[in-house]
């Protein structure tokens, strides 16, 4: 049996398959998850879905077998998006869910997103308990388990998303899915809204022949930009491998990263619901803290930990209206959404946003924001067993620099947020972030300048010079 303990991460599980986990190992994960479910006396039922990878059905079957051995009643919804599985929890009134997906990770990876407290998913303590049960064999085998197929969830999910008034404004939208699972759902959803859809790599193909479906990666965003310009579409929407993230490109082919798209949505929500509470992850633009429209309508913004489980839990605990992650996760709570991350839900909300502004383009709404220049998410390699120590040393070094009055890119450090890595605010409002990736053997670096694109490079160079002093930090996946 192969079952690497390092696959149990902060808020879900990811392994290379079959190098780090094989089917016997996944069966053990199912047995551990089922044991965890039964010991918490939540009830035996659990929703189970899988994404579109060549090996996902066999991985799902192994997980289901382990769950059944632990006494769980598995409700198999088949091929699905992660948010469709979360929707099924509410639709069928079942608190537990397990979704077999590697999300946006490249082919060769598998994993599980899971939760027992709708709309929240497992956090660090839950994952640590699950790892302990799975790797020590502290599970309980018992009778009573079974597996049933559940049909009709796709139709119910799409009907729920499109419930409400239709669009009065004609929209032409590029729908890009990178040949991933969202291709089976997103074009249909947009057409139901009345959108003219330009499909871009929406044929399901688990070899991902064009690029990995990751709307945070410049490769996918640049392809979306090319499709928008070629088709004359109003904008493009791109979805990741399990449909819980959405990327946006405007009619000019400019990427609108999810934090700024989130700010545009938050402005509109704040006008309709004054006094709203919003969340932004630590990778998000500093404009949330200074935006005049949010201030005018009494909105408050809290920067919080990156990670879908962290954001869902915080939104649930605080009653925030919405939360936004730069990676493309949007969390929209009642009365608009259901509180979990759903790329298709935010696609609907963007379409309705544009419908409420019939005389404006998406780029017009972007231009109404204060100017700033923000990097993409940059990920230098760093081993899983070293990345957190590297971040801790960087945080200590930056605190020492702040106390000593040392400068980065010619500016003193004005403050630091350490809720998730080190987000360093410079004296002019520009900032840089260094944190450990929760899902891959990488660090995460994001920088923002309030001055210019050239200044953004200076800020990145300043932070990168500090990182390069760490011998375990390797090459970047992409850079400025």
């Amino acid at each position: 049996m192969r079952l690497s303990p390092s696959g149990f991460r902060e808020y879900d599980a990811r392994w290379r398959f079959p190098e780090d986990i094989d089917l016997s190992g996944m069966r053990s994960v199912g047995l551990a998850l089922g044991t965890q479910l039964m010991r918490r006396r939540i009830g035996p039922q659990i929703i189970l879905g899988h994404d579109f990878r060549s090996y996902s059905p066999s991985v799902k079957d192994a997980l289901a077998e382990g769950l059944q051995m632990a006494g769980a009643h598995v409700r198999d919804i088949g091929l699905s998006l992660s948010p469709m599985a979360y929707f099924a929890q509410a639709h069928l009134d079942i608190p537990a869910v397990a979704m077999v997906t590697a999300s946006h990770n490249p082919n060769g990876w598998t994993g599980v997103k899971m939760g027992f407290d709708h709309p929240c998913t497992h956090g660090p303590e839950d994952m640590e308990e699950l790892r302990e049960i799975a790797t020590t064999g502290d599970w309980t085998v018992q009778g009573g388990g079974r597996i049933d197929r559940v049909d009709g969830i796709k139709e119910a999910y799409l009907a729920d998303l499109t419930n409400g008034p239709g669009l009065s404004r004609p929209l032409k939208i590029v729908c890009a899915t990178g040949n991933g699972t969202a291709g089976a759902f997103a074009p249909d959803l947009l057409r139901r809204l009345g959108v003219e859809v330009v499909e871009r790599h929406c044929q399901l193909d688990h070899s991902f022949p064009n690029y990995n479906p990751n709307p945070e990666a410049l490769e996918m965003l640049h392809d979306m930009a090319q499709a928008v310009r070629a088709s004359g579409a109003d904008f493009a929407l791109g979805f990741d491998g399990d449909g819980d993230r959405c990327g946006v490109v405007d009619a000019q082919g400019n990427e609108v990263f999810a934090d700024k798209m989130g700010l545009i949505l938050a402005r509109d929500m704040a006008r309709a619901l004054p006094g709203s509470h919003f969340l932004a992850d630590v990778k998000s633009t500093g404009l949330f803290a200074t935006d005049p429209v949010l201030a005018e309508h009494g909105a408050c913004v809290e920067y919080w930990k990156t990670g879908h489980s962290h954001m869902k839990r915080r939104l649930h605990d605080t009653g925030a209206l919405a939360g936004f992650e730069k990676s493309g996760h949007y969390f929209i709570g009642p009365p608009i959404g259901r509180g979990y991350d759903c790329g298709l839900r935010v696609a609907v909300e963007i379409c309705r946003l544009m419908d409420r502004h019939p005389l404006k383009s998406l780029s017009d709404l972007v231009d109404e924001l204060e100017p700033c220049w923000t990097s993409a998410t940059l990920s230098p390699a760093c081993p899983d067993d070293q990345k957190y120590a590297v971040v801790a040393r960087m945080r200590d070094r930056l605190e020492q620099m702040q106390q000593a009055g040392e400068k980065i890119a010619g500016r003193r450090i004005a403050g630091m947020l350490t809720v998730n890595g080190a987000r360093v605010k410079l004296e002019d409002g520009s900032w840089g972030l260094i944190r450990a990736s929760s899902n891959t053997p990488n660090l995460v670096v994001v920088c923002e300048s309030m001055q210019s694109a050239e200044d953004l490079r200076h800020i990145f160079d300043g932070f990168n010079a500090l990182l390069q002093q760490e011998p375990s930090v390797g090459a970047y996946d992409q850079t400025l």
Side-chain angles (χ1 to χ4, degrees), residues 86-387:
Y86 305 150
F87 165 78
Q89 289 179 271
H91 184 66
L92 300 176
D93 193 22
I94 294 172
V97 65
M99 175 69 190
V100 172
T101 180
S103 188
H104 65 279
N105 283 31
N107 257 330
W109 285 80
T110 189
V112 187
K113 294 180 178 179
M114 64 215 88
F116 297 160
D117 181 20
H118 181 77
C120 299
T121 43
H122 272 22
E125 292 182 1
D126 306 302
M127 292 304 299
E128 175 61 25
E129 179 187 62
L130 181 64
R131 183 195 64 78
E132 186 70 14
I133 297 172
T135 58
T136 64
D138 182 30
W139 48 62
T140 302
V141 178
Q142 61 184 36
R146 72 178 201 262
I147 304 172
D148 292 335
R149 171 75 185 198
V150 179
D151 296 319
I153 298 300
K154 174 183 176 179
E155 180 58 35
Y157 170 60
L158 295 179
D160 181 71
L161 288 170
T162 54
N163 183 38
L167 301 178
S168 58
R169 171 183 180 173
L171 288 172
K172 182 178 182 180
I173 298 175
V174 170
C175 177
T177 67
N179 304 106
T181 318
F185 303 90
D188 188 2
L189 171 83
L190 293 172
R191 290 190 177 100
R192 292 182 187 212
L193 285 175
V195 169
E196 180 184 352
V197 177
V198 179
E199 294 193 14
R200 185 71 167 177
H201 308 316
C202 290
Q203 294 269 351
L204 296 187
D205 187 338
H206 48 64
S207 71
F208 302 153
N210 296 287
Y211 45 73
N212 191 46
N214 178 6
E216 194 176 17
L218 295 179
E219 182 180 25
M220 183 171 184
L221 290 168
H222 290 167
D223 182 71
M224 291 162 59
Q226 180 183 355
V228 165
R229 289 191 291 262
S231 65
D234 293 288
F235 52 91
L237 300 173
F239 303 90
D240 74 334
D242 66 332
D244 59 8
R245 293 194 296 138
C246 180
V248 183
V249 171
D250 70 14
Q252 282 70 49
N254 300 313
E255 301 93 352
V256 185
F257 290 112
D259 52 349
K260 291 180 182 177
M261 189 69 243
L263 178 53
I264 293 168
L265 287 168
R267 282 179 155 202
D268 216 51
M269 293 175 185
R271 292 185 184 101
L273 298 167
S276 293
H277 179 190
F278 297 102
L279 305 176
D281 84 316
V282 295
K283 297 194 297 181
S284 292
T285 177
L287 295 181
F288 276 104
T290 60
D291 185 71
V293 175
L294 294 185
E296 178 186 353
H297 295 282
C300 66
V301 178
E302 176 185 6
Y303 286 93
W304 192 241
K305 299 176 183 178
T306 292
H308 65 88
S309 281
H310 295 310
M311 293 288 284
K312 276 182 285 219
R313 174 58 63 185
R314 191 66 175 172
L315 186 136
H316 180 265
D317 290 347
T318 63
L321 176 59
F324 310 102
E325 275 192 328
K326 184 178 172 62
S327 63
H329 289 274
Y330 297 74
F331 311 82
I332 302 177
I336 301 171
R338 294 179 176 269
Y340 50 78
D341 40 339
C342 179
L344 273 64
R345 162 58 65 190
V346 79
V348 171
E349 296 310 316
I350 291 171
C351 290
R352 289 178 173 162
L353 167 78
M354 299 312 301
D355 203 49
R356 291 190 292 271
H357 297 272
L359 301 180
K360 294 183 177 181
S361 68
L362 180 57
S363 57
D364 290 334
L365 298 180
V366 174
D367 289 343
E368 291 175 0
L369 301 178
E370 295 295 319
C372 67
W373 292 261
T374 314
S375 74
T377 299
L378 312 174
S379 297
C382 191
D384 280 325
D385 61 354
Q386 299 181 49
K387 61 188 181 183

Side-chain angles (χ1 to χ4, degrees), residues 26-41 43-46 62-74 116 130 133 138-147:
M26 188 57 72
R27 189 177 302 110
S28 296
V29 173
L31 186 48
L33 183 62
T35 297
Q36 190 180 43
L37 173 67
M38 302 301 282
R39 286 178 182 171
R40 295 193 186 184
R41 301 185 182 279
Q45 295 194 83
I46 183 168
L63 185 72
E65 184 178 346
L67 286 164
Q68 184 181 22
M69 291 168 64
H73 178 189
V74 178
F116 297 160
L130 181 64
I133 297 172
D138 182 30
W139 48 62
T140 302
V141 178
Q142 61 184 36
R146 72 178 201 262
I147 304 172

Side-chain angles (χ1 to χ4, degrees), residues 259 283 285 326 373-378 408 424 430-434 444-450 455-464 476 480:
D259 52 349
K283 297 194 297 181
T285 177
K326 184 178 172 62
W373 292 261
T374 314
S375 74
T377 299
L378 312 174
I408 296 176
V424 180
S430 302
W431 57 271
L433 168 73
I434 300 170
V444 172
V445 178
V446 182
C447 299
E448 182 171 80
S449 169
M450 297 301 167
D455 183 60
L456 174 63
R457 295 180 186 277
H458 292 320
I459 294 171
F460 168 73
D461 289 342
F463 281 95
N464 186 49
Y476 282 77
L480 296 183

